[in-house]
Amino acid sequence: MKTQTMTAYDMRRYTARVVIYVLLAIFSLFFLVPIYLVVVTSLKDPATINLATAWNLPERPFWESYAQVFQAFGGRIQNSVFLVFWATLFSSVLGSVNGYVLSKWRIPGEKIFFPLIIFGMFIPYQAILIPLFEFMRDINLYGGLPGLILIHTVYGLPITTLIFRNFYVDIPDEMLESAAIDGAGFFGIYTRIVFPLSLPGFVVVIIWQFTQIWNEFLFAVTMTDNNSQPITVGLAQLAGGEAVRWNLPMAGAIVAALPPLLVYILLGRYFIRGLLAGSIKG
């Protein structure tokens, strides 16, 4: 009788698992269908693109679409790389220092500063667009990549500070107190103890900031001139006009999506680990 009960239980468990996997496979197909259409359309000759054959594979891959995208927007891809590198670097390092101060140092007004910093995450871009435009123009940084780097650095500080602050809470205070007794100062403790332990936090912040900055459009289109615009602005321009050659926007979409996709593929497992670090105490 006990064996039959266990067998029935196992069967219910097996059936539930099969149902879950079937549902996951169906949901995965829904997500993959648009990707399939984007890839297939990007490899088709413009003359063969129509609704009747939208799902068909190309008879011959039309690689000229990618060549045209790189030829037209090679400079904007370089702008995106330059922007993402420096904005991610600055926001990560400054967020790390902020998190270190707010988690391990007692400063006057810390209970006020931290909520105010976090509040910055909830301010929509549109709400500060006009005063930001005026401010960037007044300090002569409007229109170029340095100004856009500054914007993304400042706007990234709330989330980077929060992530690092939660991560640094797990570092034992006794370790830092021992370093202070040995004569290490603020930056000595940070560079010799805190920073070397920060790799999981930096992985999370770098992936997050890289993705957000690379995909951002509103600041890119309003705060830069034509020579400093990143790839997202160029991608939007590819789809403009009445007669759109759909192979080019699709090829451009793939080119623009590949860098963050590769970052997630290579560092995704470290991203999850880093997010969980400090989740209990933070």
Side-chain angles (χ1 to χ4, degrees), residues 205-243:
V205 167
I206 288 172
I207 293 176
W208 179 271
Q209 285 295 94
F210 183 97
T211 305
Q212 297 297 314
I213 297 170
W214 183 275
N215 294 329
E216 196 277 326
F217 177 77
L218 183 60
F219 288 150
V221 74
T222 57
M223 297 296 168
T224 56
D225 54 29
N226 187 62
N227 295 327
S228 301
Q229 290 174 343
I231 184 62
T232 50
V233 179
L235 183 61
Q237 293 175 351
L238 280 176
E242 296 181 0

Side-chain angles (χ1 to χ4, degrees), residues 125-143:
Y125 291 175
Q126 296 85 350
I128 51 93
L129 199 58
I130 295 178
L132 180 62
F133 169 81
E134 296 291 342
F135 174 75
M136 299 302 292
R137 191 175 59 177
D138 290 342
I139 63 175
N140 296 321
L141 285 179
Y142 174 79

Side-chain angles (χ1 to χ4, degrees):
M1 188 69 181
K2 183 178 180 180
T3 304
Q4 292 179 353
T5 303
M6 291 296 296
T7 302
Y9 171 78
D10 292 340
M11 285 297 297
R12 289 195 301 270
R13 187 176 180 183
Y14 175 78
T15 303
R17 183 173 298 179
V18 170
V19 172
I20 290 174
Y21 280 113
V22 170
L23 290 175
L24 290 175
I26 294 174
F27 292 148
S28 299
L29 287 176
F30 277 110
F31 282 105
L32 292 175
V33 164
I35 298 175
Y36 169 79
L37 285 177
V38 169
V39 174
V40 168
T41 305
S42 70
L43 295 174
K44 287 183 178 180
D45 189 299
T48 64
I49 299 176
N50 55 70
L51 289 176
T53 61
W55 296 92
N56 298 344
L57 292 171
E59 297 180 1
R60 180 186 64 85
F62 190 76
W63 298 109
E64 289 84 349
S65 302
Y66 292 91
Q68 293 175 22
V69 167
F70 279 106
Q71 182 179 3
F73 299 113
R76 285 175 173 168
I77 295 175
Q78 294 178 3
N79 291 340
S80 290
V81 173
F82 184 83
L83 167 67
V84 166
F85 176 82
W86 288 110
T88 301
L89 177 64
F90 291 149
S91 60
S92 299
V93 173
L94 292 175
S96 175
V97 175
N98 284 348
Y100 166 52
V101 171
L102 292 172
S103 62
K104 295 301 179 183
W105 289 78
R106 304 280 75 85
I107 58 175
E110 60 177 322
K111 294 184 178 180
I112 300 176
F113 291 147
F114 184 62
L116 287 177
I117 293 175
I118 301 304
F119 178 72
M121 291 192 299
F122 305 100
I123 301 177
Y125 291 175
Q126 296 85 350
I128 51 93
L129 199 58
I130 295 178
L132 180 62
F133 169 81
E134 296 291 342
F135 174 75
M136 299 302 292
R137 191 175 59 177
D138 290 342
I139 63 175
N140 296 321
L141 285 179
Y142 174 79
L145 284 176
L148 196 57
I149 291 172
L150 175 62
I151 291 172
H152 283 296
T153 298
V154 173
Y155 230 99
L157 283 179
I159 184 63
T160 58
T161 299
L162 174 64
I163 292 174
F164 277 114
R165 186 258 180 190
N166 289 347
F167 180 79
Y168 290 150
V169 165
D170 283 343
I171 298 179
D173 294 337
E174 293 78 8
M175 184 184 300
L176 306 185
E177 293 171 357
S178 299
I181 292 174
D182 291 338
F186 176 87
F187 286 105
I189 296 175
Y190 176 77
T191 56
R192 296 177 184 177
I193 298 178
V194 176
F195 184 80
L197 296 174
S198 303
L199 180 59
F202 272 101
V203 170
V204 173
V205 167
I206 288 172
I207 293 176
W208 179 271
Q209 285 295 94
F210 183 97
T211 305
Q212 297 297 314
I213 297 170
W214 183 275
N215 294 329
E216 196 277 326
F217 177 77
L218 183 60
F219 288 150
V221 74
T222 57
M223 297 296 168
T224 56
D225 54 29
N226 187 62
N227 295 327
S228 301
Q229 290 174 343
I231 184 62
T232 50
V233 179
L235 183 61
Q237 293 175 351
L238 280 176
E242 296 181 0
V244 180
R245 302 176 64 190
W246 287 108
N247 59 310
L248 293 181
M250 299 305 175
I254 293 176
V255 171
L258 275 179
L261 180 62
L262 290 175
V263 168
Y264 271 108
I265 291 175
L266 296 176
L267 301 176
R269 56 178 178 174
Y270 302 106
F271 182 75
I272 301 300
R273 295 177 186 174
L275 280 178
L276 294 176
S279 60
I280 298 177
K281 293 184 181 180

